[in-house]
């Protein structure tokens, strides 16, 4: 008897962070991990963002940085056990009920939380706004204040949704180590901290695409990043975009082509409608050998051939 060949995708449960944002790398984590070499030192991220890559890196020691102070404060509060699965659950139950019964179909309470956050910067209010804001987006104005409107869903915080967020906080708290160092500095202060035994993962704002107050990105920033990564003794991986249906990322040709590059098709949602689904070819730029990695769409079509007499498990 012969068994038909089957395609089996190797799967590993991804730790999903409680913070969401546009461009989150959740679906790209296995690709990044496949390419990232294991080193004896630290995992360093100058652009932490949601933290999804760091939390799935598997490293015991890490230096994590972001220019957005609210992201850093939130994860430091988890590290220090100030925010737990229980505290976030209790908070969201309370505020969710107030949102459900507020005037203006919930907007009155959303506005209250937004005003309170913009003056007190509570990590709990930060989580509320990020989950009650339009399309799960995160954006700040020139004063550093929350700048995303209400999603117009007064029943947003159903029990199942609260449990999901609570479980994400629990999962992240199980990964963050007590000696992980969190910074709220410029990336130019973080990259020089790396040694030859470390690995740096960079996910900067993409040049030529949307940025906000905490994530401004210019051609000069890209050049500074290029110079710093060119000089580092550590291994590095840079996430960027290669091209989309309309244009190419000019920074690839100008700077990054001197390094090893692999690409992958990826889709981003920037809105609730299917017509807002846009394909982008993502790129990983590396300063180490990746000859064993497919240059495009590595890992998407991984196959295990099953022949006569072989067992699947």
């Amino acid at each position: 008897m012969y068994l038909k060949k089957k395609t089996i995708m190797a799967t590993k449960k991804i730790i999903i962070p409680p913070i969401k944002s546009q461009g989150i790398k959740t679906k790209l984590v296995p690709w990044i991990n496949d390419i990232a070499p294991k080193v004896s030192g630290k995992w360093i991220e100058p652009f932490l963002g949601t933290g999804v890559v760091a939390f799935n890196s598997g490293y015991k020691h890490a230096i994590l940085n972001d220019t957005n102070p609210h992201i850093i404060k939130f994860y430091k509060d988890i590290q220090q056990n100030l925010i737990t699965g229980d505290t976030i659950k209790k908070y969201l139950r309370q505020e969710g009920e107030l949102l459900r019964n507020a005037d203006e179909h919930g907007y009155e309470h959303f506005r209250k939380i937004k005003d309170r956050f913009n003056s007190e910067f509570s990590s709990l209010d930060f989580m509320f706004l990020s989950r009650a804001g339009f399309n799960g987006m995160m954006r700040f104005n020139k004063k550093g204040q929350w700048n995303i409107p209400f999603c117009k869903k007064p029943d947003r915080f159903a029990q199942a949704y609260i449990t999901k967020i609570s479980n994400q906080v629990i999962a992240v708290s199980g990964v963050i180590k007590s000696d992980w160092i969190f910074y709220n500095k410029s990336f130019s202060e973080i990259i020089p901290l790396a040694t030859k035994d470390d690995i740096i993962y960079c996910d900067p704002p993409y040049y030529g695409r949307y940025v906000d107050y905490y994530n401004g990105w210019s051609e000069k920033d890209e050049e500074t990043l290029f110079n710093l990564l060119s000089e580092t003794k550590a291994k590095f991986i840079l996430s960027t975009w290669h091209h989309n249906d309309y244009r190419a990322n000019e920074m690839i040709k100008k700077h990054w082509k001197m390094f090893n590059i692999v690409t992958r098709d990826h889709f981003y949602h920037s809105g609730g409608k299917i017509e807002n689904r846009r394909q982008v070819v993502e790129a990983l730029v590396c300063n180490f050998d990746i000859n064993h990695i497919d240059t495009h769409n590595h890992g998407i079509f991984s196959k295990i051939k099953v022949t006569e007499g072989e067992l699947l498990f």
Side-chain angles (χ1 to χ4, degrees):
M1 177 180 178
Y2 290 87
L3 299 178
K4 294 178 68 175
K5 292 180 180 179
K6 296 183 179 181
T7 299
I8 303 172
M9 294 301 295
T11 57
K12 180 181 178 182
K13 189 173 182 180
I14 303 298
I15 295 170
I16 309 296
I19 292 177
K20 305 297 180 188
S21 74
Q22 289 180 298
I24 187 171
K25 293 294 188 294
T26 305
K27 292 183 179 180
L28 297 176
V29 163
W31 182 47
I32 295 167
N33 283 344
D34 268 357
I35 290 167
K38 291 300 179 184
V39 298
S40 61
K42 301 178 293 296
W43 179 271
I44 299 176
E45 281 199 42
F47 311 90
L48 180 62
T50 66
V52 67
V53 179
F55 300 146
N56 289 280
S57 67
Y59 278 82
K60 293 182 179 180
H61 306 287
I63 294 176
L64 306 175
N65 176 76
D66 202 274
T67 54
N68 186 325
H70 310 299
I71 289 175
I72 296 302
K73 183 177 185 297
F74 181 82
Y75 285 132
K76 287 180 74 172
D77 284 350
I78 290 179
Q79 184 186 44
Q80 297 167 11
N81 213 34
L82 299 175
I83 290 181
T84 66
D86 287 338
T87 59
I88 200 79
K89 184 181 292 185
K90 180 180 179 181
Y91 167 84
L92 291 178
R93 281 176 177 169
Q94 174 183 309
E95 300 300 340
E97 182 67 19
L98 293 171
L99 182 74
R100 189 176 300 112
N101 296 309
D103 291 340
E104 302 175 63
H105 302 287
Y107 181 63
E108 179 189 55
H109 190 63
F110 176 84
R111 188 168 57 240
K112 175 183 176 181
I113 299 295
K114 183 178 73 170
D115 291 343
R116 186 171 71 192
F117 171 77
N118 285 335
S119 62
E120 299 177 8
F121 310 115
S122 161
S123 290
L124 292 171
D125 288 345
F126 175 58
M127 176 52 55
F128 176 94
L129 292 172
S130 71
R131 293 306 185 103
F134 176 73
N135 203 35
M137 297 170 65
M138 186 190 306
R139 188 176 68 214
F140 297 84
N141 62 24
K142 292 182 178 179
K143 295 181 179 180
Q145 298 177 326
W146 187 265
N147 196 31
I148 291 292
F150 182 38
C151 67
K152 299 182 180 179
K153 295 179 181 178
D155 295 323
R156 180 65 167 168
F157 295 103
Q159 184 55 49
Y161 192 54
I162 292 174
T163 299
K164 180 179 180 180
I165 297 170
S166 174
N167 287 340
Q168 289 169 346
V169 169
I170 292 170
V172 166
S173 67
V175 173
I176 296 176
K177 309 301 181 184
S178 60
D179 64 346
W180 280 17
I181 302 172
F182 290 90
Y183 286 121
N184 172 219
K185 297 183 177 183
S186 165
F187 70 91
S188 62
E189 297 179 73
I190 302 302
I191 293 174
L193 299 178
T195 72
K196 63 179 179 60
D197 297 320
D198 299 329
I199 183 167
I200 305 168
Y201 171 68
C202 288
D203 185 21
Y206 286 2
Y207 176 75
R209 300 177 67 186
Y210 176 79
V211 295
D212 76 356
Y213 177 72
Y214 288 120
N215 291 289
W217 196 253
S218 65
E219 187 170 349
K220 183 178 180 181
D221 291 323
E222 191 93 11
E223 183 178 357
T224 299
L225 179 61
F226 167 75
N227 289 333
L228 288 168
L229 291 180
S230 297
E231 295 167 1
T232 185
K233 295 180 180 178
K235 290 180 171 61
F236 78 77
I237 298 175
L238 166 73
S239 277
T240 188
W241 66 287
H242 192 276
H243 67 273
N244 58 24
D245 292 338
Y246 307 103
R247 60 195 176 98
N249 179 1
E250 60 189 271
M251 295 296 108
I252 296 287
K253 183 177 181 180
K254 185 170 184 178
H255 294 304
W256 305 112
K257 66 179 182 179
M258 66 176 287
F259 296 106
N260 296 317
I261 299 176
V262 292
T263 57
R264 184 167 183 168
D265 297 328
H266 187 54
F267 287 88
Y268 285 110
H269 285 280
S270 56
K273 298 181 180 180
I274 192 67
E275 55 265 32
N276 289 328
R277 192 171 188 244
R278 296 286 182 254
Q279 179 175 331
V280 175
V281 175
E282 293 281 326
L284 295 181
V285 180
C286 317
N287 67 342
F288 50 85
D289 177 49
I290 51 173
N291 289 334
H292 61 294
I293 298 293
D294 300 328
T295 57
H296 185 63
N297 280 340
H298 170 78
I300 291 182
F301 302 109
S302 297
K303 295 182 179 180
I304 300 176
K305 297 179 181 179
V306 181
T307 58
E308 182 180 9
E310 288 186 331
L311 298 177
L312 285 174
F313 305 99

